[in-house]
Amino acid sequence: MNNISRRTLLKGVGLTGLAGGTGAWLLTEQQTPEEALDDLLENALTALPAASISAALIKNGELAWGKSVGYQNLESKKPATLESIWPTVGSVSKLITWTAVMQLVEKGQIQLDGDVSDYLGFTLRNPHFPDTPITPYQLLTHASSLSSRRMTSAPDRMADLFCKDYSVDLKGWVTSYLAPDGINYNPDLAFDLYRPGDFANVTPDPIGVIAGYSSLNTLVAAYLIEQVTNLSFEEYTHEYIFSPLGIKDIGWQKNDLDQQKIITPYEAKNSPRAPVMAVFTQSMKDRGYLSKTAIPFDGNKTYFAFDDCNYFSPFNAAALLGSSTTALTTFMQSFLPQYNTETPLLKRETIDSMWQVQRSDPQTGSALGLGWFQFRTTRHGTFWGHDGGGPGILSRVMIDPETGNGVVLLINNFFVDFRQRALLLDQLCASLKTA
């Protein structure tokens, strides 16, 4: 369903934080909660801007409200719904990978302080520190010394990460680029110049996530999962994460998902973006992933479609989960102590350990647990979750284990006004307050 029933909404969500707010979404006390939230998203389409937006609110562990606005496809004018499938949710995908790792830790098949080389089938060492093992704990905390950005963030490489039709699988990529005898191995690209686990000297992140942040950590973790379980990463996550939760419209191979539900990702022509990001856009066009022909829509808004982007590659575990808003929300709910499920993915004590701050970055202000980021707000409490971004997606998922509240937000345009996005997130959090 595109909307949760009004009765459920009114029982679960109060809007004292929204009524009388300031900024782009000034809401009135005369509106019903449902009307206020509907207006919030509709106005955000223009303010961000975005071709479509999906949002869901979790209260006390239960889904209280959900809504999609805009279009699944601008040319056909097919409306987006909560069941529409986003071909990628960006780095939010990493939470699936970290969940799988911790499942294997619980089973004793992986030791957090072990040497990943014992699982991978080859010796993974930073050649500048050959006597220091790289551990699963360091992968989870982005402190392994695997290259923070050089191998994945140049414009052409970033474009290929999401969109290229690769012929090589995860094993082929990891062993080719990270194994010392790999045909594409280049230690100067693969590693940063700090000792693995040295939190005080982790390489600063130029994009401002957290020092040392690297998708390579997730790729190594996914390959470790394959080696330990003798299943592909995709098979393992379907069997031990998606199936136990009973969720559909979620997965890695886009051809296996319902093609009638797939959202077309877009980039708005006049989006606010740093000049360096315009280089990324041009690279996407030059490589044929992003249409060079703009689609006029809704007056002065114009969009380019990612109509030749594969969204399936060896980098699945880092950024390429495809999911509906409904499926992703259920995954997030499953971690909350207030959510009743007969098939928990992890033990309560394991989840609690993942939500203990392991690193705080004084430069970016980011705080990181075991794979999960902490989002502290001045008005709404402390949440745990992850951000994501990529061609046609800007995502945020976050939950508060103390209250059982949470927000899932998916925006169809990576380059948005981040001040407007912050305001939207603040207003969604405010709507969770009881009247």
Side-chain angles (χ1 to χ4, degrees):
M1 291 169 38
N2 191 38
N3 294 296
I4 308 305
S5 72
R6 182 176 176 183
R7 178 178 297 177
T8 301
L9 175 78
L10 293 173
K11 285 176 62 179
V13 180
L15 293 180
T16 53
L18 269 178
T22 60
W25 300 288
L26 180 63
L27 305 177
T28 68
E29 294 182 357
Q30 287 71 40
Q31 288 181 301
T32 67
E34 187 175 42
E35 290 169 343
L37 286 164
D38 287 356
D39 281 356
L40 188 67
L41 292 196
E42 289 287 354
N43 291 333
L45 281 175
T46 300
L48 287 168
S52 55
I53 304 173
S54 288
L57 297 178
I58 302 165
K59 188 171 181 65
N60 196 30
E62 298 301 321
L63 179 62
W65 173 86
K67 176 78 173 182
S68 291
V69 294
Y71 292 100
Q72 186 173 300
N73 181 278
L74 294 178
E75 292 182 292
S76 69
K77 300 292 194 298
K78 184 174 184 178
T81 75
L82 294 177
E83 309 307 324
S84 297
I85 299 172
W86 299 74
T88 172
V89 294
S91 286
V92 167
S93 309
K94 290 179 170 69
L95 293 182
I96 305 293
T97 308
W98 303 137
T99 299
V101 168
M102 295 306 291
Q103 286 179 333
L104 296 175
V105 169
E106 283 189 348
K107 296 174 182 177
Q109 294 178 267
I110 292 176
Q111 301 296 320
L112 278 181
D113 59 355
D115 185 340
V116 296
S117 301
D118 295 338
Y119 308 105
L120 296 177
F122 64 87
T123 300
L124 183 67
R125 288 284 193 279
N126 186 327
H128 302 284
F129 306 96
D131 297 327
T132 303
I134 293 173
T135 69
Y137 173 79
Q138 293 161 3
L139 301 178
L140 283 155
T141 55
H142 291 280
S144 68
S145 80
L146 287 164
S147 171
S148 57
R149 294 290 178 181
R150 288 192 299 276
M151 288 188 71
T152 58
S153 289
D156 288 352
R157 293 193 189 103
M158 178 67 81
D160 286 347
L161 185 153
F162 284 94
C163 296
K164 183 178 178 179
D165 186 7
Y166 282 85
S167 59
V168 65
D169 60 8
L170 176 64
K171 177 180 179 179
W173 195 94
V174 169
T175 55
S176 172
Y177 282 89
L178 299 180
D181 60 352
I183 189 172
N184 294 307
Y185 179 69
N186 182 340
D188 292 332
L189 287 179
F191 295 96
D192 287 338
L193 296 176
Y194 69 89
R195 187 180 298 277
D198 182 0
F199 289 177
N201 292 294
V202 179
T203 302
D205 178 31
I207 300 182
V209 178
I210 193 169
Y213 184 84
S214 175
S215 289
L216 297 183
N217 290 308
T218 328
L219 299 187
V220 171
Y223 183 53
L224 186 155
I225 291 164
E226 292 193 343
Q227 290 293 94
V228 168
T229 64
N230 291 316
L231 295 171
S232 72
F233 172 75
E234 292 78 16
E235 290 170 335
Y236 178 89
T237 52
H238 272 284
E239 184 171 346
Y240 292 99
I241 296 178
F242 306 147
S243 292
L245 293 178
I247 49 179
K248 61 178 183 176
D249 295 332
I250 191 168
W252 309 97
Q253 174 56 272
K254 303 308 173 287
N255 291 334
D256 293 338
L257 296 171
D258 188 338
Q259 300 302 297
Q260 298 304 309
K261 297 180 179 180
I262 298 289
I263 285 176
T264 301
Y266 294 97
E267 180 180 321
K269 181 178 181 180
N270 297 318
S271 293
R273 61 169 67 80
V276 67
M277 299 311 289
V279 178
F280 171 73
T281 296
Q282 190 59 48
S283 177
M284 297 294 285
K285 290 182 179 178
D286 291 344
R287 297 174 85 79
Y289 303 135
L290 180 64
S291 173
K292 296 180 181 180
T293 303
I295 302 169
F297 175 70
D298 192 19
N300 61 353
K301 288 185 290 185
T302 305
Y303 292 89
F304 298 101
F306 289 93
D307 50 12
D308 193 22
C309 187
N310 194 48
Y311 292 112
F312 179 82
S313 79
F315 301 97
N316 277 345
L320 294 175
L321 177 71
S323 179
S324 69
T325 308
T326 298
L328 188 59
T329 303
T330 300
F331 171 74
M332 294 301 294
Q333 286 175 273
S334 72
F335 289 89
L336 289 168
Q338 298 85 353
Y339 183 68
N340 295 318
T341 177
E342 297 179 358
T343 55
L345 299 178
L346 292 166
K347 297 175 182 177
R348 189 77 253 150
E349 55 266 32
T350 300
I351 296 173
D352 290 342
S353 72
M354 297 176 78
W355 293 340
Q356 297 295 317
V357 174
Q358 305 296 317
R359 293 182 51 210
S360 296
D361 189 331
Q363 293 189 3
T364 65
S366 298
L368 179 66
L370 294 179
W372 291 67
F373 282 86
Q374 184 186 73
F375 301 111
R376 298 180 68 90
T377 68
T378 56
R379 296 199 301 146
H380 313 302
T382 299
F383 296 83
W384 287 91
H386 215 289
D387 279 318
I393 183 66
L394 186 63
S395 56
R396 163 73 68 88
V397 295
M398 57 187 200
I399 50 178
D400 178 356
E402 295 298 320
T403 62
N405 294 348
V407 175
V408 172
L409 178 63
L410 304 173
I411 298 169
N412 192 346
N413 181 19
F414 178 48
F415 302 110
V416 303
D417 185 329
F418 274 77
R419 294 168 300 178
Q420 297 288 356
R421 183 210 182 210
L423 177 60
L424 176 57
L425 282 165
D426 180 75
Q427 298 282 35
L428 287 169
C429 288
S431 72
L432 287 165
K433 293 184 177 180
T434 56

